[in-house]
């Protein structure tokens, strides 16, 4: 868990497969303790582990409020749920209402360019992405390294 992909004073990128709100809460708290005073950006792709269901969507604003910025990728094949399918856009709106910077990327492959545009020196990027996401994290690490002085 919390696999470091890049760790230096300019940027830290950590990957974890967590998607359930309780696991995200624990990981965000751990990163806040490990990197006090640094901006924490959470990249989340809701998926089959529970994060994509409306039930968990209701818990996510409280959990993600501990971050400084949230980047949501489209959910993997949203499943039917009694209250309706998960919506990354709805969640982003709820986060913005709380004063949190939140963005939705409709194309996951645009993550690296988004990060390169919004990165600040010292940022900690917590990527909650599924296993086998190297096609996302590899370009992200490369884009951030290219920004380093």
């Amino acid at each position: 868990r919390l696999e470091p992909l890049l760790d230096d004073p300019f940027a830290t990128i950590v990957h974890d497969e967590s998607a359930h709100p309780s696991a995200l809460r624990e990981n965000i708290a751990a990163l806040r303790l490990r990197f006090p005073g640094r901006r924490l950006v959470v990249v989340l792709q809701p998926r089959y582990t529970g994060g994509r269901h409306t039930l968990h969507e209701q818990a996510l604003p409280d959990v993600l409020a501990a971050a400084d910025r949230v980047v949501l990728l489209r959910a993997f094949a949203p499943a039917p749920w009694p209250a309706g399918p998960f919506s990354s856009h709805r969640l982003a709106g709820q986060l913005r209402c709380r004063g949190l910077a939140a963005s939705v990327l409709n194309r996951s492959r645009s993550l690296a360019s988004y990060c390169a545009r919004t990165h600040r020196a010292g940022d900690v990027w917590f990527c909650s992405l599924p296993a086998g996401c190297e096609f996302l994290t590899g370009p992200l690490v490369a884009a951030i390294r290219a920004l380093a002085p």
Side-chain angles (χ1 to χ4, degrees):
R1 295 187 64 125
L2 293 177
E3 172 192 6
L5 304 176
L6 176 66
D7 191 5
D8 66 38
F10 181 72
T12 298
I13 302 173
V14 178
H15 173 252
D16 191 90
E17 295 176 24
S18 60
H20 192 278
S22 60
L24 288 169
R25 180 179 288 112
E26 291 174 18
N27 286 333
I28 291 170
L31 290 168
R32 283 285 189 207
L33 286 173
R34 173 133 164 66
F35 302 104
R38 292 175 65 181
R39 187 171 83 145
L40 178 61
V41 182
V42 175
V43 178
L44 173 65
Q45 183 168 38
R47 51 199 175 278
Y48 61 90
T49 56
R52 72 177 179 170
H53 294 301
T54 306
L55 174 69
H56 298 296
E57 181 181 349
Q58 294 167 6
L60 286 171
D62 286 336
V63 170
L64 297 173
D68 297 301
R69 175 178 285 275
V70 176
V71 181
L72 299 166
L73 305 180
R74 285 186 338 154
F76 278 162
W81 196 255
F86 181 92
S87 169
S88 293
H89 291 282
R90 183 173 50 233
L91 176 56
Q94 292 168 339
L95 294 170
R96 286 187 209 108
C97 285
R98 292 170 176 247
L100 187 66
S103 301
V104 177
L105 302 181
N106 289 317
R107 292 182 46 236
S108 58
R109 294 198 183 265
S110 62
L111 177 61
S113 62
Y114 174 87
C115 293
R117 286 191 318 272
T118 61
H119 180 74
R120 294 184 196 162
D123 278 355
V124 176
W125 293 84
F126 168 39
C127 300
S128 173
L129 301 169
C133 66
E134 293 80 14
F135 70 98
L136 293 173
T137 57
L140 171 60
V141 170
I144 298 298
R145 278 192 174 135
L147 297 172

